C-alpha cells in the first residue's frame, strides 16, 4: 500500500478497534451475557464503526494540531 494512504489505514484500524471495544462494553452492560448478545454486539459494532471511521478521519487532524500546541517543542 502506498504511504500516502497511511492516515486512512490508521483511521480504519483505530476506529474499528475502538468501536469494537466500546460497543462490546455497552452491549454487555445493557444485555448481560444473554445468548443473543454476540449478534447484538456485532450489529452494534458495525453501526458504530460506520460512524467512527469517517469521524476519526475528520477529528484526527484537529487532534494532532491541538496536541502540537499543547506539547512543548524540544530546544534546538
Amino acid at each position: 500500500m502506498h504511504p500516502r494512504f497511511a492516515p486512512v489505514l490508521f483511521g480504519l484500524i483505530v476506529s474499528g478497534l475502538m468501536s469494537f471495544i466500546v460497543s462490546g462494553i455497552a452491549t454487555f452492560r445493557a444485555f448481560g451475557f444473554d445468548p443473543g448478545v454476540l449478534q447484538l454486539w456485532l450489529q452494534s459494532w458495525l453501526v458504530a464503526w460506520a460512524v467512527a471511521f469517517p469521524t476519526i478521519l475528520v477529528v484526527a487532524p484537529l487532534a494532532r494540531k491541538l496536541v502540537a500546541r499543547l506539547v512543548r517543542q524540544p530546544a534546538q
Side-chain angles (χ1 to χ4, degrees):
M1 183 174 286
H2 194 278
R4 71 179 174 176
F5 295 113
V8 176
L9 183 58
F10 177 82
L12 183 74
I13 293 169
V14 168
S15 65
L17 291 171
M18 288 301 297
S19 60
F20 184 75
I21 293 166
V22 172
S23 65
I25 291 168
T27 304
F28 282 107
R29 283 190 49 92
F31 298 101
F33 288 97
D34 188 77
V37 76
L38 258 149
Q39 183 177 358
L40 289 171
W41 180 7
L42 292 177
Q43 290 170 346
S44 296
W45 174 48
L46 289 175
V47 172
W49 199 0
V51 172
F53 179 51
T55 301
I56 201 166
L57 293 179
V58 171
V59 173
L62 300 173
R64 279 190 208 99
K65 287 179 185 177
L66 179 59
V67 168
R69 286 184 166 197
L70 295 173
V71 173
R72 193 173 350 166
Q73 298 298 318
Q76 294 180 341

